Amino acid sequence: EKAYQIKELGLDFKGKTFGNFKELALFRSLNGGNGRETMTNNRSVFMQSNFDTIQLPEGLKLVPHSMFRQAVGKKVILPASIEIIDELVFHAASIDNLVILSDKVVNAQRYWALLYMRVKGVYVQEHLVEEYKNTVPWNSVKKFIYPLNELSRL
């Protein structure tokens, strides 16, 4: 059986409406060519789209520029491997629940990564809740930051 490396999705969901895309998590290697696992060739891929749940793949370290800009969704799940949220990723997005599985505070590049983001809950590791609430730009949504174990109450 052959295994193939996906370098880019080659799909554009910009402005589209769709249900769940949990299968995106099955893409194990999305190499942007800069030595880090990224999806830089897929920036803005979900911009202005409407969706239920999108789960980004484990191994991904950077959420690319404008990926969810002005999108409307029920849930976005970022894997434990995520380290950086690039500029404008959630700018003016309306995401009910943002789930961050990383065991470290994710670096959101500049305040506009989350600027005008509307969110009902940002769920993080329990030991990181206060750190997120006190870290720029996460402090802009601090009243919506909860421990992961509270996600099950939904």
Side-chain angles (χ1 to χ4, degrees), residues 113-147:
L114 309 177
L115 187 64
Y116 305 124
M117 177 181 167
R118 292 170 305 283
V119 65
K120 292 180 182 175
V122 176
Y123 295 88
V124 301
Q125 301 288 342
E126 187 173 4
H127 69 280
L128 296 174
V129 170
E130 290 307 313
E131 192 173 351
Y132 267 98
K133 287 181 178 183
N134 293 308
T135 301
V136 175
W138 296 106
N139 60 353
S140 67
V141 293
K142 66 182 174 186
K143 64 183 179 181
F144 305 108
I145 297 176
Y146 307 105

PDB file of all heavy atoms in Angstrom, residues 113-147:
ATOM      1  N   ALA A 113      -5.067  38.744  14.963  1.00  0.00           N
ATOM      2  CA  ALA A 113      -5.356  37.317  14.731  1.00  0.00           C
ATOM      3  C   ALA A 113      -6.753  36.969  15.242  1.00  0.00           C
ATOM      4  O   ALA A 113      -7.433  36.112  14.693  1.00  0.00           O
ATOM      5  CB  ALA A 113      -4.325  36.438  15.413  1.00  0.00           C
ATOM      6  N   LEU A 114      -7.169  37.662  16.314  1.00  0.00           N
ATOM      7  CA  LEU A 114      -8.474  37.415  16.931  1.00  0.00           C
ATOM      8  C   LEU A 114      -9.391  38.642  16.855  1.00  0.00           C
ATOM      9  O   LEU A 114     -10.487  38.608  17.415  1.00  0.00           O
ATOM     10  CB  LEU A 114      -8.294  37.033  18.404  1.00  0.00           C
ATOM     11  CG  LEU A 114      -7.315  35.922  18.741  1.00  0.00           C
ATOM     12  CD1 LEU A 114      -7.228  35.738  20.248  1.00  0.00           C
ATOM     13  CD2 LEU A 114      -7.707  34.629  18.059  1.00  0.00           C
ATOM     14  N   LEU A 115      -8.973  39.682  16.182  1.00  0.00           N
ATOM     15  CA  LEU A 115      -9.721  40.935  16.160  1.00  0.00           C
ATOM     16  C   LEU A 115     -11.142  40.739  15.635  1.00  0.00           C
ATOM     17  O   LEU A 115     -11.342  40.124  14.584  1.00  0.00           O
ATOM     18  CB  LEU A 115      -8.988  41.966  15.301  1.00  0.00           C
ATOM     19  CG  LEU A 115      -9.547  43.384  15.307  1.00  0.00           C
ATOM     20  CD1 LEU A 115      -9.445  43.999  16.708  1.00  0.00           C
ATOM     21  CD2 LEU A 115      -8.809  44.249  14.301  1.00  0.00           C
ATOM     22  N   TYR A 116     -12.109  41.236  16.375  1.00  0.00           N
ATOM     23  CA  TYR A 116     -13.537  41.142  16.046  1.00  0.00           C
ATOM     24  C   TYR A 116     -14.066  39.714  16.018  1.00  0.00           C
ATOM     25  O   TYR A 116     -15.137  39.452  15.484  1.00  0.00           O
ATOM     26  CB  TYR A 116     -13.877  41.859  14.730  1.00  0.00           C
ATOM     27  CG  TYR A 116     -13.455  43.298  14.702  1.00  0.00           C
ATOM     28  CD1 TYR A 116     -12.612  43.777  13.693  1.00  0.00           C
ATOM     29  CD2 TYR A 116     -13.881  44.179  15.687  1.00  0.00           C
ATOM     30  CE1 TYR A 116     -12.216  45.099  13.672  1.00  0.00           C
ATOM     31  CE2 TYR A 116     -13.487  45.518  15.669  1.00  0.00           C
ATOM     32  CZ  TYR A 116     -12.657  45.965  14.657  1.00  0.00           C
ATOM     33  OH  TYR A 116     -12.266  47.283  14.634  1.00  0.00           O
ATOM     34  N   MET A 117     -13.328  38.782  16.581  1.00  0.00           N
ATOM     35  CA  MET A 117     -13.793  37.395  16.654  1.00  0.00           C
ATOM     36  C   MET A 117     -14.955  37.305  17.651  1.00  0.00           C
ATOM     37  O   MET A 117     -14.884  37.835  18.749  1.00  0.00           O
ATOM     38  CB  MET A 117     -12.659  36.482  17.112  1.00  0.00           C
ATOM     39  CG  MET A 117     -13.052  35.050  17.276  1.00  0.00           C
ATOM     40  SD  MET A 117     -11.614  34.096  17.843  1.00  0.00           S
ATOM     41  CE  MET A 117     -12.390  32.598  18.333  1.00  0.00           C
ATOM     42  N   ARG A 118     -16.011  36.633  17.258  1.00  0.00           N
ATOM     43  CA  ARG A 118     -17.132  36.355  18.149  1.00  0.00           C
ATOM     44  C   ARG A 118     -17.061  34.871  18.491  1.00  0.00           C
ATOM     45  O   ARG A 118     -17.010  34.029  17.597  1.00  0.00           O
ATOM     46  CB  ARG A 118     -18.454  36.709  17.466  1.00  0.00           C
ATOM     47  CG  ARG A 118     -18.594  38.215  17.265  1.00  0.00           C
ATOM     48  CD  ARG A 118     -19.754  38.609  16.391  1.00  0.00           C
ATOM     49  NE  ARG A 118     -19.811  38.001  15.072  1.00  0.00           N
ATOM     50  CZ  ARG A 118     -19.070  38.349  14.029  1.00  0.00           C
ATOM     51  NH1 ARG A 118     -18.176  39.295  14.137  1.00  0.00           N
ATOM     52  NH2 ARG A 118     -19.212  37.755  12.862  1.00  0.00           N
ATOM     53  N   VAL A 119     -17.040  34.591  19.779  1.00  0.00           N
ATOM     54  CA  VAL A 119     -16.871  33.209  20.228  1.00  0.00           C
ATOM     55  C   VAL A 119     -17.700  32.988  21.481  1.00  0.00           C
ATOM     56  O   VAL A 119     -17.882  33.900  22.288  1.00  0.00           O
ATOM     57  CB  VAL A 119     -15.367  32.911  20.477  1.00  0.00           C
ATOM     58  CG1 VAL A 119     -14.805  33.724  21.607  1.00  0.00           C
ATOM     59  CG2 VAL A 119     -15.111  31.434  20.689  1.00  0.00           C
ATOM     60  N   LYS A 120     -18.242  31.778  21.626  1.00  0.00           N
ATOM     61  CA  LYS A 120     -18.982  31.431  22.847  1.00  0.00           C
ATOM     62  C   LYS A 120     -18.072  30.752  23.858  1.00  0.00           C
ATOM     63  O   LYS A 120     -18.296  30.833  25.053  1.00  0.00           O
ATOM     64  CB  LYS A 120     -20.162  30.526  22.512  1.00  0.00           C
ATOM     65  CG  LYS A 120     -21.237  31.231  21.708  1.00  0.00           C
ATOM     66  CD  LYS A 120     -22.391  30.295  21.393  1.00  0.00           C
ATOM     67  CE  LYS A 120     -23.431  31.022  20.557  1.00  0.00           C
ATOM     68  NZ  LYS A 120     -24.507  30.129  20.129  1.00  0.00           N
ATOM     69  N   GLY A 121     -17.051  30.036  23.354  1.00  0.00           N
ATOM     70  CA  GLY A 121     -16.126  29.354  24.244  1.00  0.00           C
ATOM     71  C   GLY A 121     -14.802  29.050  23.575  1.00  0.00           C
ATOM     72  O   GLY A 121     -14.766  28.623  22.427  1.00  0.00           O
ATOM     73  N   VAL A 122     -13.719  29.313  24.306  1.00  0.00           N
ATOM     74  CA  VAL A 122     -12.373  28.899  23.908  1.00  0.00           C
ATOM     75  C   VAL A 122     -11.950  27.895  24.969  1.00  0.00           C
ATOM     76  O   VAL A 122     -11.834  28.240  26.144  1.00  0.00           O
ATOM     77  CB  VAL A 122     -11.389  30.085  23.862  1.00  0.00           C
ATOM     78  CG1 VAL A 122      -9.980  29.606  23.533  1.00  0.00           C
ATOM     79  CG2 VAL A 122     -11.848  31.136  22.860  1.00  0.00           C
ATOM     80  N   TYR A 123     -11.748  26.655  24.574  1.00  0.00           N
ATOM     81  CA  TYR A 123     -11.473  25.568  25.521  1.00  0.00           C
ATOM     82  C   TYR A 123     -10.007  25.176  25.430  1.00  0.00           C
ATOM     83  O   TYR A 123      -9.517  24.839  24.353  1.00  0.00           O
ATOM     84  CB  TYR A 123     -12.392  24.386  25.240  1.00  0.00           C
ATOM     85  CG  TYR A 123     -13.834  24.754  25.500  1.00  0.00           C
ATOM     86  CD1 TYR A 123     -14.619  25.324  24.503  1.00  0.00           C
ATOM     87  CD2 TYR A 123     -14.384  24.579  26.759  1.00  0.00           C
ATOM     88  CE1 TYR A 123     -15.931  25.696  24.759  1.00  0.00           C
ATOM     89  CE2 TYR A 123     -15.697  24.947  27.022  1.00  0.00           C
ATOM     90  CZ  TYR A 123     -16.457  25.507  26.013  1.00  0.00           C
ATOM     91  OH  TYR A 123     -17.748  25.887  26.284  1.00  0.00           O
ATOM     92  N   VAL A 124      -9.325  25.250  26.580  1.00  0.00           N
ATOM     93  CA  VAL A 124      -7.884  24.986  26.653  1.00  0.00           C
ATOM     94  C   VAL A 124      -7.596  24.035  27.813  1.00  0.00           C
ATOM     95  O   VAL A 124      -8.464  23.772  28.649  1.00  0.00           O
ATOM     96  CB  VAL A 124      -7.096  26.309  26.829  1.00  0.00           C
ATOM     97  CG1 VAL A 124      -7.357  27.266  25.662  1.00  0.00           C
ATOM     98  CG2 VAL A 124      -7.419  26.986  28.146  1.00  0.00           C
ATOM     99  N   GLN A 125      -6.359  23.549  27.853  1.00  0.00           N
ATOM    100  CA  GLN A 125      -5.948  22.690  28.965  1.00  0.00           C
ATOM    101  C   GLN A 125      -6.198  23.414  30.286  1.00  0.00           C
ATOM    102  O   GLN A 125      -5.930  24.618  30.401  1.00  0.00           O
ATOM    103  CB  GLN A 125      -4.469  22.321  28.849  1.00  0.00           C
ATOM    104  CG  GLN A 125      -4.101  21.587  27.585  1.00  0.00           C
ATOM    105  CD  GLN A 125      -4.601  20.157  27.556  1.00  0.00           C
ATOM    106  OE1 GLN A 125      -4.936  19.573  28.572  1.00  0.00           O
ATOM    107  NE2 GLN A 125      -4.658  19.585  26.365  1.00  0.00           N
ATOM    108  N   GLU A 126      -6.677  22.692  31.279  1.00  0.00           N
ATOM    109  CA  GLU A 126      -7.065  23.289  32.560  1.00  0.00           C
ATOM    110  C   GLU A 126      -5.948  24.126  33.188  1.00  0.00           C
ATOM    111  O   GLU A 126      -6.186  25.228  33.690  1.00  0.00           O
ATOM    112  CB  GLU A 126      -7.524  22.203  33.528  1.00  0.00           C
ATOM    113  CG  GLU A 126      -8.090  22.747  34.810  1.00  0.00           C
ATOM    114  CD  GLU A 126      -8.701  21.666  35.684  1.00  0.00           C
ATOM    115  OE1 GLU A 126      -8.637  20.476  35.343  1.00  0.00           O
ATOM    116  OE2 GLU A 126      -9.242  22.038  36.741  1.00  0.00           O
ATOM    117  N   HIS A 127      -4.709  23.623  33.136  1.00  0.00           N
ATOM    118  CA  HIS A 127      -3.603  24.341  33.767  1.00  0.00           C
ATOM    119  C   HIS A 127      -3.205  25.623  33.026  1.00  0.00           C
ATOM    120  O   HIS A 127      -2.405  26.406  33.521  1.00  0.00           O
ATOM    121  CB  HIS A 127      -2.391  23.412  33.934  1.00  0.00           C
ATOM    122  CG  HIS A 127      -1.736  23.020  32.640  1.00  0.00           C
ATOM    123  ND1 HIS A 127      -2.231  22.031  31.824  1.00  0.00           N
ATOM    124  CD2 HIS A 127      -0.633  23.499  32.035  1.00  0.00           C
ATOM    125  CE1 HIS A 127      -1.457  21.912  30.765  1.00  0.00           C
ATOM    126  NE2 HIS A 127      -0.473  22.778  30.867  1.00  0.00           N
ATOM    127  N   LEU A 128      -3.802  25.877  31.847  1.00  0.00           N
ATOM    128  CA  LEU A 128      -3.451  27.051  31.055  1.00  0.00           C
ATOM    129  C   LEU A 128      -4.524  28.136  31.048  1.00  0.00           C
ATOM    130  O   LEU A 128      -4.314  29.204  30.472  1.00  0.00           O
ATOM    131  CB  LEU A 128      -3.176  26.633  29.606  1.00  0.00           C
ATOM    132  CG  LEU A 128      -1.985  25.711  29.377  1.00  0.00           C
ATOM    133  CD1 LEU A 128      -1.928  25.267  27.927  1.00  0.00           C
ATOM    134  CD2 LEU A 128      -0.692  26.389  29.790  1.00  0.00           C
ATOM    135  N   VAL A 129      -5.657  27.897  31.671  1.00  0.00           N
ATOM    136  CA  VAL A 129      -6.779  28.835  31.599  1.00  0.00           C
ATOM    137  C   VAL A 129      -6.361  30.251  32.012  1.00  0.00           C
ATOM    138  O   VAL A 129      -6.574  31.216  31.271  1.00  0.00           O
ATOM    139  CB  VAL A 129      -7.983  28.349  32.431  1.00  0.00           C
ATOM    140  CG1 VAL A 129      -9.040  29.437  32.560  1.00  0.00           C
ATOM    141  CG2 VAL A 129      -8.579  27.083  31.819  1.00  0.00           C
ATOM    142  N   GLU A 130      -5.757  30.392  33.173  1.00  0.00           N
ATOM    143  CA  GLU A 130      -5.375  31.728  33.655  1.00  0.00           C
ATOM    144  C   GLU A 130      -4.289  32.355  32.788  1.00  0.00           C
ATOM    145  O   GLU A 130      -4.300  33.567  32.553  1.00  0.00           O
ATOM    146  CB  GLU A 130      -4.944  31.674  35.121  1.00  0.00           C
ATOM    147  CG  GLU A 130      -6.088  31.414  36.073  1.00  0.00           C
ATOM    148  CD  GLU A 130      -7.258  32.382  35.894  1.00  0.00           C
ATOM    149  OE1 GLU A 130      -7.030  33.613  35.809  1.00  0.00           O
ATOM    150  OE2 GLU A 130      -8.416  31.911  35.840  1.00  0.00           O
ATOM    151  N   GLU A 131      -3.375  31.539  32.303  1.00  0.00           N
ATOM    152  CA  GLU A 131      -2.314  32.076  31.442  1.00  0.00           C
ATOM    153  C   GLU A 131      -2.897  32.617  30.139  1.00  0.00           C
ATOM    154  O   GLU A 131      -2.506  33.692  29.673  1.00  0.00           O
ATOM    155  CB  GLU A 131      -1.260  31.004  31.166  1.00  0.00           C
ATOM    156  CG  GLU A 131      -0.013  31.547  30.529  1.00  0.00           C
ATOM    157  CD  GLU A 131       1.105  30.520  30.410  1.00  0.00           C
ATOM    158  OE1 GLU A 131       0.998  29.412  30.971  1.00  0.00           O
ATOM    159  OE2 GLU A 131       2.094  30.850  29.738  1.00  0.00           O
ATOM    160  N   TYR A 132      -3.838  31.883  29.551  1.00  0.00           N
ATOM    161  CA  TYR A 132      -4.513  32.389  28.346  1.00  0.00           C
ATOM    162  C   TYR A 132      -5.224  33.708  28.655  1.00  0.00           C
ATOM    163  O   TYR A 132      -5.136  34.663  27.881  1.00  0.00           O
ATOM    164  CB  TYR A 132      -5.534  31.379  27.813  1.00  0.00           C
ATOM    165  CG  TYR A 132      -4.981  30.446  26.760  1.00  0.00           C
ATOM    166  CD1 TYR A 132      -4.553  29.168  27.090  1.00  0.00           C
ATOM    167  CD2 TYR A 132      -4.906  30.832  25.424  1.00  0.00           C
ATOM    168  CE1 TYR A 132      -4.066  28.304  26.119  1.00  0.00           C
ATOM    169  CE2 TYR A 132      -4.415  29.974  24.447  1.00  0.00           C
ATOM    170  CZ  TYR A 132      -3.997  28.712  24.807  1.00  0.00           C
ATOM    171  OH  TYR A 132      -3.512  27.868  23.843  1.00  0.00           O
ATOM    172  N   LYS A 133      -5.932  33.764  29.758  1.00  0.00           N
ATOM    173  CA  LYS A 133      -6.698  34.965  30.111  1.00  0.00           C
ATOM    174  C   LYS A 133      -5.800  36.191  30.299  1.00  0.00           C
ATOM    175  O   LYS A 133      -6.265  37.319  30.162  1.00  0.00           O
ATOM    176  CB  LYS A 133      -7.513  34.725  31.382  1.00  0.00           C
ATOM    177  CG  LYS A 133      -8.698  33.817  31.156  1.00  0.00           C
ATOM    178  CD  LYS A 133      -9.493  33.628  32.443  1.00  0.00           C
ATOM    179  CE  LYS A 133     -10.714  32.762  32.201  1.00  0.00           C
ATOM    180  NZ  LYS A 133     -11.538  32.634  33.417  1.00  0.00           N
ATOM    181  N   ASN A 134      -4.534  35.966  30.596  1.00  0.00           N
ATOM    182  CA  ASN A 134      -3.599  37.066  30.844  1.00  0.00           C
ATOM    183  C   ASN A 134      -2.597  37.284  29.714  1.00  0.00           C
ATOM    184  O   ASN A 134      -1.646  38.051  29.877  1.00  0.00           O
ATOM    185  CB  ASN A 134      -2.856  36.821  32.163  1.00  0.00           C
ATOM    186  CG  ASN A 134      -3.795  36.904  33.346  1.00  0.00           C
ATOM    187  OD1 ASN A 134      -4.522  37.873  33.498  1.00  0.00           O
ATOM    188  ND2 ASN A 134      -3.818  35.863  34.154  1.00  0.00           N
ATOM    189  N   THR A 135      -2.790  36.614  28.587  1.00  0.00           N
ATOM    190  CA  THR A 135      -1.865  36.720  27.467  1.00  0.00           C
ATOM    191  C   THR A 135      -2.529  37.457  26.305  1.00  0.00           C
ATOM    192  O   THR A 135      -3.641  37.131  25.912  1.00  0.00           O
ATOM    193  CB  THR A 135      -1.424  35.309  26.995  1.00  0.00           C
ATOM    194  OG1 THR A 135      -0.805  34.632  28.084  1.00  0.00           O
ATOM    195  CG2 THR A 135      -0.456  35.397  25.838  1.00  0.00           C
ATOM    196  N   VAL A 136      -1.812  38.443  25.762  1.00  0.00           N
ATOM    197  CA  VAL A 136      -2.287  39.177  24.586  1.00  0.00           C
ATOM    198  C   VAL A 136      -2.098  38.290  23.367  1.00  0.00           C
ATOM    199  O   VAL A 136      -1.060  37.646  23.239  1.00  0.00           O
ATOM    200  CB  VAL A 136      -1.484  40.493  24.420  1.00  0.00           C
ATOM    201  CG1 VAL A 136      -1.867  41.215  23.144  1.00  0.00           C
ATOM    202  CG2 VAL A 136      -1.663  41.390  25.636  1.00  0.00           C
ATOM    203  N   PRO A 137      -3.042  38.190  22.454  1.00  0.00           N
ATOM    204  CA  PRO A 137      -4.346  38.815  22.388  1.00  0.00           C
ATOM    205  C   PRO A 137      -5.482  37.969  22.978  1.00  0.00           C
ATOM    206  O   PRO A 137      -6.643  38.352  22.890  1.00  0.00           O
ATOM    207  CB  PRO A 137      -4.560  39.002  20.889  1.00  0.00           C
ATOM    208  CG  PRO A 137      -3.955  37.774  20.294  1.00  0.00           C
ATOM    209  CD  PRO A 137      -2.744  37.489  21.178  1.00  0.00           C
ATOM    210  N   TRP A 138      -5.144  36.823  23.590  1.00  0.00           N
ATOM    211  CA  TRP A 138      -6.181  35.955  24.159  1.00  0.00           C
ATOM    212  C   TRP A 138      -7.013  36.671  25.218  1.00  0.00           C
ATOM    213  O   TRP A 138      -8.181  36.340  25.428  1.00  0.00           O
ATOM    214  CB  TRP A 138      -5.567  34.671  24.721  1.00  0.00           C
ATOM    215  CG  TRP A 138      -4.943  33.829  23.666  1.00  0.00           C
ATOM    216  CD1 TRP A 138      -3.610  33.658  23.426  1.00  0.00           C
ATOM    217  CD2 TRP A 138      -5.622  33.077  22.667  1.00  0.00           C
ATOM    218  NE1 TRP A 138      -3.419  32.837  22.354  1.00  0.00           N
ATOM    219  CE2 TRP A 138      -4.643  32.459  21.860  1.00  0.00           C
ATOM    220  CE3 TRP A 138      -6.965  32.851  22.365  1.00  0.00           C
ATOM    221  CZ2 TRP A 138      -4.959  31.644  20.786  1.00  0.00           C
ATOM    222  CZ3 TRP A 138      -7.285  32.045  21.294  1.00  0.00           C
ATOM    223  CH2 TRP A 138      -6.281  31.444  20.514  1.00  0.00           C
ATOM    224  N   ASN A 139      -6.417  37.656  25.870  1.00  0.00           N
ATOM    225  CA  ASN A 139      -7.156  38.371  26.911  1.00  0.00           C
ATOM    226  C   ASN A 139      -8.360  39.132  26.346  1.00  0.00           C
ATOM    227  O   ASN A 139      -9.251  39.517  27.083  1.00  0.00           O
ATOM    228  CB  ASN A 139      -6.240  39.282  27.717  1.00  0.00           C
ATOM    229  CG  ASN A 139      -5.557  40.341  26.885  1.00  0.00           C
ATOM    230  OD1 ASN A 139      -5.638  40.363  25.660  1.00  0.00           O
ATOM    231  ND2 ASN A 139      -4.843  41.233  27.556  1.00  0.00           N
ATOM    232  N   SER A 140      -8.405  39.320  25.038  1.00  0.00           N
ATOM    233  CA  SER A 140      -9.563  39.982  24.422  1.00  0.00           C
ATOM    234  C   SER A 140     -10.814  39.100  24.459  1.00  0.00           C
ATOM    235  O   SER A 140     -11.929  39.593  24.291  1.00  0.00           O
ATOM    236  CB  SER A 140      -9.254  40.384  22.974  1.00  0.00           C
ATOM    237  OG  SER A 140      -9.084  39.240  22.161  1.00  0.00           O
ATOM    238  N   VAL A 141     -10.634  37.799  24.690  1.00  0.00           N
ATOM    239  CA  VAL A 141     -11.773  36.863  24.795  1.00  0.00           C
ATOM    240  C   VAL A 141     -11.748  36.136  26.140  1.00  0.00           C
ATOM    241  O   VAL A 141     -12.311  35.054  26.285  1.00  0.00           O
ATOM    242  CB  VAL A 141     -11.791  35.849  23.618  1.00  0.00           C
ATOM    243  CG1 VAL A 141     -12.068  36.546  22.295  1.00  0.00           C
ATOM    244  CG2 VAL A 141     -10.502  35.047  23.546  1.00  0.00           C
ATOM    245  N   LYS A 142     -11.113  36.749  27.142  1.00  0.00           N
ATOM    246  CA  LYS A 142     -10.878  36.063  28.413  1.00  0.00           C
ATOM    247  C   LYS A 142     -12.148  35.602  29.115  1.00  0.00           C
ATOM    248  O   LYS A 142     -12.137  34.583  29.792  1.00  0.00           O
ATOM    249  CB  LYS A 142     -10.017  36.907  29.352  1.00  0.00           C
ATOM    250  CG  LYS A 142     -10.634  38.169  29.848  1.00  0.00           C
ATOM    251  CD  LYS A 142      -9.634  38.906  30.736  1.00  0.00           C
ATOM    252  CE  LYS A 142     -10.154  40.252  31.130  1.00  0.00           C
ATOM    253  NZ  LYS A 142      -9.131  41.003  31.865  1.00  0.00           N
ATOM    254  N   LYS A 143     -13.253  36.300  28.953  1.00  0.00           N
ATOM    255  CA  LYS A 143     -14.475  35.862  29.638  1.00  0.00           C
ATOM    256  C   LYS A 143     -15.087  34.615  28.997  1.00  0.00           C
ATOM    257  O   LYS A 143     -16.023  34.041  29.532  1.00  0.00           O
ATOM    258  CB  LYS A 143     -15.491  36.995  29.737  1.00  0.00           C
ATOM    259  CG  LYS A 143     -16.030  37.508  28.439  1.00  0.00           C
ATOM    260  CD  LYS A 143     -16.971  38.673  28.704  1.00  0.00           C
ATOM    261  CE  LYS A 143     -17.513  39.229  27.400  1.00  0.00           C
ATOM    262  NZ  LYS A 143     -18.408  40.356  27.617  1.00  0.00           N
ATOM    263  N   PHE A 144     -14.519  34.184  27.874  1.00  0.00           N
ATOM    264  CA  PHE A 144     -15.012  32.992  27.182  1.00  0.00           C
ATOM    265  C   PHE A 144     -14.017  31.830  27.226  1.00  0.00           C
ATOM    266  O   PHE A 144     -14.209  30.841  26.529  1.00  0.00           O
ATOM    267  CB  PHE A 144     -15.334  33.330  25.725  1.00  0.00           C
ATOM    268  CG  PHE A 144     -16.297  34.472  25.584  1.00  0.00           C
ATOM    269  CD1 PHE A 144     -15.860  35.706  25.136  1.00  0.00           C
ATOM    270  CD2 PHE A 144     -17.630  34.311  25.915  1.00  0.00           C
ATOM    271  CE1 PHE A 144     -16.745  36.768  25.013  1.00  0.00           C
ATOM    272  CE2 PHE A 144     -18.521  35.364  25.793  1.00  0.00           C
ATOM    273  CZ  PHE A 144     -18.076  36.594  25.343  1.00  0.00           C
ATOM    274  N   ILE A 145     -12.946  31.951  28.010  1.00  0.00           N
ATOM    275  CA  ILE A 145     -11.928  30.895  28.085  1.00  0.00           C
ATOM    276  C   ILE A 145     -12.267  29.945  29.225  1.00  0.00           C
ATOM    277  O   ILE A 145     -12.430  30.371  30.368  1.00  0.00           O
ATOM    278  CB  ILE A 145     -10.520  31.503  28.247  1.00  0.00           C
ATOM    279  CG1 ILE A 145     -10.169  32.343  27.012  1.00  0.00           C
ATOM    280  CG2 ILE A 145      -9.477  30.399  28.471  1.00  0.00           C
ATOM    281  CD1 ILE A 145      -8.854  33.079  27.091  1.00  0.00           C
ATOM    282  N   TYR A 146     -12.358  28.649  28.886  1.00  0.00           N
ATOM    283  CA  TYR A 146     -12.755  27.612  29.840  1.00  0.00           C
ATOM    284  C   TYR A 146     -11.817  26.414  29.746  1.00  0.00           C
ATOM    285  O   TYR A 146     -11.189  26.194  28.710  1.00  0.00           O
ATOM    286  CB  TYR A 146     -14.182  27.121  29.540  1.00  0.00           C
ATOM    287  CG  TYR A 146     -15.204  28.211  29.443  1.00  0.00           C
ATOM    288  CD1 TYR A 146     -15.711  28.609  28.207  1.00  0.00           C
ATOM    289  CD2 TYR A 146     -15.680  28.861  30.584  1.00  0.00           C
ATOM    290  CE1 TYR A 146     -16.664  29.614  28.111  1.00  0.00           C
ATOM    291  CE2 TYR A 146     -16.631  29.862  30.492  1.00  0.00           C
ATOM    292  CZ  TYR A 146     -17.123  30.235  29.249  1.00  0.00           C
ATOM    293  OH  TYR A 146     -18.055  31.233  29.169  1.00  0.00           O
ATOM    294  N   PRO A 147     -11.768  25.611  30.799  1.00  0.00           N
ATOM    295  CA  PRO A 147     -10.980  24.360  30.712  1.00  0.00           C
ATOM    296  C   PRO A 147     -11.659  23.351  29.785  1.00  0.00           C
ATOM    297  O   PRO A 147     -12.892  23.339  29.663  1.00  0.00           O
ATOM    298  CB  PRO A 147     -10.945  23.851  32.159  1.00  0.00           C
ATOM    299  CG  PRO A 147     -12.047  24.552  32.860  1.00  0.00           C
ATOM    300  CD  PRO A 147     -12.330  25.813  32.130  1.00  0.00           C
TER     301      PRO A 147
END
